[in-house]
Amino acid sequence: MIYENNEEKRSTIWRTILTVSSVVIIIIAIFFIVKLFTGNPLEGTWVSEGSGDKIEITDDDQMIIRPEEGDQFTEIGCNVDTKSKILTVAEGSPDSDIIQPGTYNYNIEQDTLTLTEREYGEQLVFVREQE
Protein backbone atom coordinates (compact mmCIF):
# COMPACT_ATOMS: atom_id res chain seq x y z
CA MET A 1 0.00 0.00 0.00
CA ILE A 2 1.24 3.48 -0.82
CA TYR A 3 0.55 5.02 2.57
CA GLU A 4 1.94 2.21 4.75
CA ASN A 5 3.70 4.44 7.22
CA ASN A 6 1.39 7.44 7.19
CA GLU A 7 -1.47 6.80 9.63
CA GLU A 8 -3.23 10.11 8.86
CA LYS A 9 -3.50 9.42 5.13
CA ARG A 10 -4.67 5.83 5.70
CA SER A 11 -7.31 7.11 8.09
CA THR A 12 -8.50 9.66 5.52
CA ILE A 13 -8.73 7.03 2.79
CA TRP A 14 -10.60 4.65 5.12
CA ARG A 15 -13.15 7.34 6.09
CA THR A 16 -13.67 8.20 2.42
CA ILE A 17 -14.30 4.54 1.53
CA LEU A 18 -16.76 4.15 4.42
CA THR A 19 -18.61 7.35 3.49
CA VAL A 20 -18.96 6.37 -0.18
CA SER A 21 -20.08 2.85 0.75
CA SER A 22 -22.67 4.19 3.19
CA VAL A 23 -24.07 6.59 0.60
CA VAL A 24 -24.35 3.80 -1.99
CA ILE A 25 -26.14 1.52 0.49
CA ILE A 26 -28.59 4.29 1.41
CA ILE A 27 -29.34 5.03 -2.26
CA ILE A 28 -30.00 1.34 -2.98
CA ALA A 29 -32.28 1.07 0.07
CA ILE A 30 -34.26 4.16 -0.99
CA PHE A 31 -34.65 2.74 -4.52
CA PHE A 32 -36.09 -0.55 -3.23
CA ILE A 33 -38.42 1.15 -0.74
CA VAL A 34 -39.79 3.49 -3.43
CA LYS A 35 -40.20 0.60 -5.87
CA LEU A 36 -41.98 -1.50 -3.24
CA PHE A 37 -44.57 1.12 -2.29
CA THR A 38 -45.18 2.76 -5.67
CA GLY A 39 -45.09 -0.27 -7.96
CA ASN A 40 -48.12 -1.91 -9.53
CA PRO A 41 -48.91 -5.04 -7.47
CA LEU A 42 -50.87 -6.55 -10.38
CA GLU A 43 -48.02 -6.25 -12.86
CA GLY A 44 -47.18 -9.64 -14.33
CA THR A 45 -48.82 -12.64 -15.95
CA TRP A 46 -51.83 -14.27 -14.29
CA VAL A 47 -53.38 -17.62 -15.25
CA SER A 48 -57.08 -18.33 -14.71
CA GLU A 49 -57.65 -21.21 -12.29
CA GLY A 50 -60.71 -22.45 -14.15
CA SER A 51 -59.84 -22.14 -17.83
CA GLY A 52 -56.08 -21.69 -18.08
CA ASP A 53 -56.52 -18.38 -19.93
CA LYS A 54 -53.90 -15.72 -19.23
CA ILE A 55 -53.99 -12.00 -18.56
CA GLU A 56 -50.84 -9.93 -18.53
CA ILE A 57 -50.94 -6.57 -16.79
CA THR A 58 -48.16 -4.15 -17.70
CA ASP A 59 -46.89 -1.13 -15.81
CA ASP A 60 -48.12 1.23 -18.55
CA ASP A 61 -51.86 0.62 -17.97
CA GLN A 62 -52.30 -2.12 -20.55
CA MET A 63 -53.83 -5.57 -20.18
CA ILE A 64 -53.06 -8.34 -22.68
CA ILE A 65 -55.61 -11.16 -22.72
CA ARG A 66 -54.46 -14.52 -24.11
CA PRO A 67 -56.96 -17.39 -24.39
CA GLU A 68 -55.58 -20.85 -23.56
CA GLU A 69 -56.20 -22.07 -27.08
CA GLY A 70 -55.03 -20.15 -30.13
CA ASP A 71 -52.37 -17.57 -30.82
CA GLN A 72 -54.61 -14.50 -30.83
CA PHE A 73 -54.52 -11.96 -28.06
CA THR A 74 -56.42 -8.82 -27.14
CA GLU A 75 -54.80 -5.70 -25.75
CA ILE A 76 -56.99 -3.33 -23.77
CA GLY A 77 -56.48 -0.43 -21.41
CA CYS A 78 -56.78 -0.80 -17.65
CA ASN A 79 -56.17 1.29 -14.58
CA VAL A 80 -55.03 0.07 -11.16
CA ASP A 81 -55.89 2.14 -8.09
CA THR A 82 -53.63 0.74 -5.37
CA LYS A 83 -55.13 2.84 -2.56
CA SER A 84 -58.69 1.56 -2.93
CA LYS A 85 -57.62 -1.77 -4.54
CA ILE A 86 -59.68 -1.30 -7.71
CA LEU A 87 -58.90 -2.53 -11.23
CA THR A 88 -60.78 -0.75 -14.00
CA VAL A 89 -60.88 -2.42 -17.42
CA ALA A 90 -61.49 0.14 -20.17
CA GLU A 91 -64.98 0.48 -21.61
CA GLY A 92 -65.43 0.19 -25.34
CA SER A 93 -62.64 -2.32 -25.66
CA PRO A 94 -63.22 -5.64 -27.39
CA ASP A 95 -65.21 -8.08 -25.28
CA SER A 96 -63.43 -11.14 -24.02
CA ASP A 97 -64.67 -14.36 -22.46
CA ILE A 98 -61.96 -14.04 -19.80
CA ILE A 99 -62.61 -10.57 -18.41
CA GLN A 100 -65.24 -7.98 -19.35
CA PRO A 101 -64.89 -4.20 -19.31
CA GLY A 102 -65.87 -2.80 -15.93
CA THR A 103 -64.65 -2.21 -12.42
CA TYR A 104 -63.29 -4.93 -10.15
CA ASN A 105 -62.13 -5.01 -6.55
CA TYR A 106 -58.90 -6.96 -6.36
CA ASN A 107 -57.31 -8.96 -3.58
CA ILE A 108 -53.88 -10.60 -3.69
CA GLU A 109 -52.99 -13.36 -1.26
CA GLN A 110 -49.54 -14.79 -1.91
CA ASP A 111 -49.67 -15.75 -5.63
CA THR A 112 -53.48 -15.71 -5.99
CA LEU A 113 -55.37 -12.76 -7.48
CA THR A 114 -59.12 -12.56 -6.89
CA LEU A 115 -61.09 -10.06 -8.96
CA THR A 116 -64.61 -9.33 -7.71
CA GLU A 117 -66.93 -7.47 -10.05
CA ARG A 118 -68.26 -4.49 -8.16
CA GLU A 119 -71.77 -4.54 -9.62
CA TYR A 120 -72.73 -8.23 -9.56
CA GLY A 121 -70.12 -9.74 -7.21
CA GLU A 122 -68.86 -12.36 -9.70
CA GLN A 123 -65.37 -13.56 -8.79
CA LEU A 124 -62.48 -14.40 -11.10
CA VAL A 125 -59.48 -16.21 -9.62
CA PHE A 126 -56.00 -16.09 -11.17
CA VAL A 127 -52.65 -17.52 -10.11
CA ARG A 128 -49.39 -15.65 -10.80
CA GLU A 129 -47.37 -17.38 -13.49
CA GLN A 130 -43.82 -18.07 -12.35
CA GLU A 131 -41.28 -16.77 -14.84
Side-chain angles (χ1 to χ4, degrees), residues 25-57:
I25 289 171
I26 290 171
I27 290 172
I28 291 171
I30 289 172
F31 170 78
F32 281 116
I33 289 171
V34 167
K35 187 72 172 167
L36 178 69
F37 290 109
T38 61
N40 181 352
L42 300 182
E43 185 178 354
T45 302
W46 300 89
V47 181
S48 174
E49 273 191 343
S51 65
D53 299 326
K54 295 181 182 180
I55 61 171
E56 181 180 340
I57 300 173

Side-chain angles (χ1 to χ4, degrees), residues 37-81:
F37 290 109
T38 61
N40 181 352
L42 300 182
E43 185 178 354
T45 302
W46 300 89
V47 181
S48 174
E49 273 191 343
S51 65
D53 299 326
K54 295 181 182 180
I55 61 171
E56 181 180 340
I57 300 173
T58 63
D59 200 29
D60 57 348
D61 293 336
Q62 292 294 315
M63 178 185 291
I64 301 167
I65 300 172
R66 299 178 193 279
E68 182 181 30
E69 297 177 5
D71 293 333
Q72 73 265 12
F73 65 91
T74 305
E75 188 171 334
I76 56 177
C78 68
N79 184 25
V80 178
D81 182 358

Side-chain angles (χ1 to χ4, degrees), residues 4-19:
E4 286 182 17
N5 296 326
N6 191 336
E7 185 67 33
E8 185 179 323
K9 289 183 181 180
R10 283 193 310 191
S11 178
T12 303
I13 290 173
W14 184 246
R15 276 186 278 147
T16 304
I17 290 172
L18 282 176
T19 303

Side-chain angles (χ1 to χ4, degrees), residues 80-97:
V80 178
D81 182 358
T82 56
K83 289 184 181 180
S84 55
K85 297 181 90 173
I86 295 175
L87 170 68
T88 304
V89 179
E91 294 290 332
S93 36
D95 284 346
S96 164
D97 293 338

Side-chain angles (χ1 to χ4, degrees), residues 118-131:
R118 295 188 78 183
E119 191 170 333
Y120 299 111
E122 180 183 345
Q123 288 191 338
L124 304 169
V125 179
F126 296 89
V127 177
R128 186 181 299 270
E129 183 176 70
Q130 301 301 324
E131 298 175 20

